[in-house]
Amino acid sequence: MLGLVGLGLAGCGTRARSQPMTEPARPPGDGLADLARAHGISFGTAVQGELLAQDQVYAAAVAAEAQLLVPEWEAKWEALQPREGEFDFGPLGVVAGFAQAQRKQLRGHALVWHNAMPDWLAPALAEGPARARAVLAAHIEGVLGATQPLIRDWDVVNEVLANPPGSRFTDQTPARGIFRDTPWLRALGPDYIELALRLARERDRTLRLTINDYGLEGDTPWAEQKRQNMLALVRALLAARCPLDAVGLQAHLQVDEPFRPEPLAGFIQTLHGMGLAVLITELDCREGANLPPGQEARDGIVAAYVQQVVGTALAAGCRTVLTWGLSDRDSWLNRDPDVARRDGQQHRGHPLDAEFRRKAMWQALARSFASA
Ligand code: G3I
């Protein structure tokens, strides 16, 4: 298997898993990553390999604004192991090649998730726990073996918690206790989470292992319940001496969701007290049902909400912030029918507009970094 090492990426080095990878020295610019770095913060964004390869404006914006990249799709099971036993590192190699050429860091997303599963996977998991364990172990072995020099930080498990009753999210998936009912849970019970983390640690002892989820930021009863559920899960894992280094807050924000700093700050500080890092992993911001007149007013509302949330997280000790894309043009917010606007308008929830011009959210992030 010609993994990413075949791209000559070996030797990217390893480092203590609790610390972000040291960034290569580079001439200071005025991008968000430069502004963040000046305050000890790592900033980055999700990227699409095809756009990196085909769209120079897109690639230039990523090069100028971001230091830490996360593949939006190319490191998911569907992309990496489309058929059982057949690994395809081609799409990830495009992102990796860009990261190497531009001297960027790369984080992995996601080793275990209930979406982006290739067609063969759910039936395999349904064959029973022994098969499920073998499939999981083979994937983690194959992926970490090929990406070890390149990716030092993975979302090992993604969105394992159910959305509590009353949640604002459309995917009211059935729950089993605090856990989302997924093919993984049905095959292995909640232990799949610990199993994935242990397999990842055994394969790569210096990898930073992250649990990533959404709906953890707001000041609502269901966000508070989901935060308590995350804390219960983390406490149980740590009590079982399960390897875990960080919790990722996806931060897919919505301006209509109430926010108060204290609940989020307390949550982050509690996780820090357990010895865990906290990252913002997928920041973007959906606009409200009723848009104010004028683009400037819309952008101002998004910027103010983002600055409140990111400023709170940074003040509580978060030191890694990634947006889920830089520009409104390529955002899942305007592709995914579950979140796209019904009024035909495009969400403006990213630092750059559809023409890759910096807008109020870009300034809000810059201000948040400067006051961290
Ligand atoms: O399937 C094609 C594949 O054949 C093709 O080679 C590839 C190259 O472009 O594209 C694939 O298409 C789509 C892919 O995005 C790349 O754009 C997939 O059909 C589509 O399902 C996939 O959607 C992604 C989704 O996760 C599912 O993986 C979205 O872009 C991405 O924004 C979204 O991101 C998730 C996070 O992983 C987890 N948190 C929520 C977030 C938003 O849903």
Side-chain angles (χ1 to χ4, degrees):
M1 168 182 64
L2 174 60
L4 297 172
V5 174
L7 293 173
L9 299 179
C12 284
T14 56
R15 48 139 188 84
R17 53 183 172 261
S18 58
Q19 295 304 319
M21 177 182 272
T22 49
E23 296 177 1
R26 53 188 314 122
D30 73 341
L32 284 172
D34 299 301
L35 302 175
R37 184 183 306 114
H39 297 275
I41 298 157
S42 178
F43 173 77
T45 194
V47 291
Q48 299 178 32
E50 282 183 353
L51 291 177
L52 288 176
Q54 298 164 8
D55 183 331
Q56 289 186 355
V57 171
Y58 176 94
V62 172
E65 300 288 356
Q67 180 56 35
L68 179 59
L69 308 183
V70 58
E72 191 165 346
W73 175 78
E74 294 79 357
K76 292 172 181 171
W77 206 307
E78 180 183 47
L80 290 177
Q81 198 182 166
R83 284 161 299 284
E84 184 168 7
E86 290 181 34
F87 287 89
D88 178 3
F89 291 101
L92 181 57
V94 173
V95 178
F98 178 88
Q100 186 193 24
Q102 295 292 332
R103 300 173 66 195
K104 306 290 186 183
Q105 276 80 49
L106 206 49
R107 76 180 307 265
H109 170 84
L111 289 175
V112 177
W113 189 28
H114 60 280
N115 280 341
M117 296 173 76
D119 293 343
W120 66 270
L121 183 51
L125 298 181
E127 289 177 23
R131 174 97 162 100
R133 277 193 289 273
V135 162
L136 177 58
H139 188 71
I140 289 178
E141 169 65 28
V143 173
L144 296 190
T147 63
Q148 180 160 5
L150 172 78
I151 298 178
R152 310 306 308 135
D153 168 14
W154 272 91
D155 290 334
V156 176
V157 290
N158 190 46
E159 302 176 7
V160 301
L161 294 177
N163 291 317
S167 165
R168 61 178 161 91
F169 295 102
T170 52
D171 64 339
Q172 290 309 324
T173 47
R176 281 172 50 185
I178 65 171
F179 298 104
R180 178 188 289 266
D181 186 9
T182 70
W184 292 103
L185 189 76
R186 291 194 288 276
L188 294 168
D191 288 351
Y192 80 93
I193 299 165
E194 181 175 349
L195 175 61
L197 289 162
R198 290 191 184 281
L199 286 168
R201 176 68 90 240
E202 284 159 20
R203 183 62 187 77
D204 183 344
R205 306 205 65 76
T206 63
L207 200 64
R208 178 160 77 175
L209 309 181
T210 301
I211 288 185
N212 192 49
D213 218 321
Y214 66 86
L216 296 164
E217 304 83 20
D219 183 22
T220 63
W222 57 79
E224 182 54 28
Q225 184 59 61
K226 199 164 185 179
R227 286 190 287 268
Q228 293 309 314
N229 294 345
M230 178 61 84
L231 291 175
L233 169 59
V234 166
R235 285 193 182 99
L237 290 169
L238 296 178
R241 303 178 64 75
C242 175
L244 178 65
D245 303 306
V247 170
L249 311 180
Q250 290 187 9
H252 289 298
L253 306 177
Q254 290 190 51
V255 297
D256 283 349
E257 182 173 34
F259 179 79
R260 202 165 38 91
E262 292 74 13
L264 178 61
F267 177 60
I268 293 172
Q269 287 155 358
T270 302
L271 289 168
H272 282 163
M274 298 174 178
L276 300 174
V278 177
L279 297 75
I280 288 181
T281 55
E282 305 184 16
L283 174 67
D284 51 32
C285 189
R286 270 167 253 177
E287 294 183 78
N290 306 310
L291 292 176
Q295 202 162 279
E296 196 171 334
R298 289 177 58 180
D299 291 350
I301 290 170
V302 166
Y305 194 93
V306 164
Q307 184 163 347
Q308 260 210 314
V309 176
V310 173
T312 298
L314 294 174
C318 174
R319 282 297 174 269
T320 301
V321 176
L322 297 105
T323 58
W324 203 243
L326 285 174
S327 162
D328 301 332
R329 184 197 73 179
D330 312 303
S331 173
W332 76 288
L333 293 177
N334 296 315
R335 286 199 312 268
D336 184 324
D338 282 345
V339 298
R341 296 191 61 82
R342 302 276 186 274
D343 59 8
Q345 299 261 13
Q346 298 278 296
H347 284 294
R348 294 176 59 85
H350 293 263
L352 307 181
D353 66 14
E355 287 71 41
F356 288 81
R357 294 173 304 208
R358 294 169 175 176
K359 63 191 209 291
M361 182 172 157
W362 187 98
Q363 306 296 344
L365 287 171
R367 283 193 299 271
S368 300
F369 300 151
S371 47

